[in-house]
Amino acid sequence: TGLCGPVTPEARRTPAAAAPYVEVAEAEQAAGNRETALVAWREVLRWDSRNPRARAALKALCRGAPTTSARTGPEEEAAADSLLSG
């Protein structure tokens, strides 16, 4: 669990509130700061549970894989769905 455990989304989806966290997450991930990137991507999902970039990045970071693409297919979506609780 921990940083790779379930994310409890806000009751009201607010993509605009997620936007600043996307910037932080991308910058931290690019800098190699895995834990900080994980925290920021989790915040993105908390505010925008459908964000495909956050889902793909969290999946990759939690599996220890490089994140070269934010494209998601059915398999990636199913795995990302497991990150959300409720």
Side-chain angles (χ1 to χ4, degrees):
T1 57
L3 292 176
C4 289
V7 175
T8 303
E10 289 294 319
R12 184 178 191 134
R13 194 171 155 258
T14 313
Y21 293 105
V22 171
E23 292 180 31
V24 171
E26 289 176 339
E28 293 299 322
Q29 191 169 342
N33 298 323
R34 181 181 178 273
E35 285 189 23
T36 306
L38 279 168
V39 170
W41 284 124
R42 288 175 61 82
E43 282 298 304
V44 173
L45 276 187
R46 187 168 75 88
W47 289 105
D48 183 6
S49 62
R50 297 179 190 159
N51 187 294
R53 289 162 61 191
R55 288 171 173 259
L58 272 172
K59 180 182 176 194
L61 286 168
C62 288
R63 292 176 73 190
T67 55
T68 57
S69 172
R71 285 185 278 163
T72 57
E75 183 179 306
E76 289 80 10
E77 284 295 319
D81 285 340
S82 71
L83 292 170
L84 296 172
S85 64

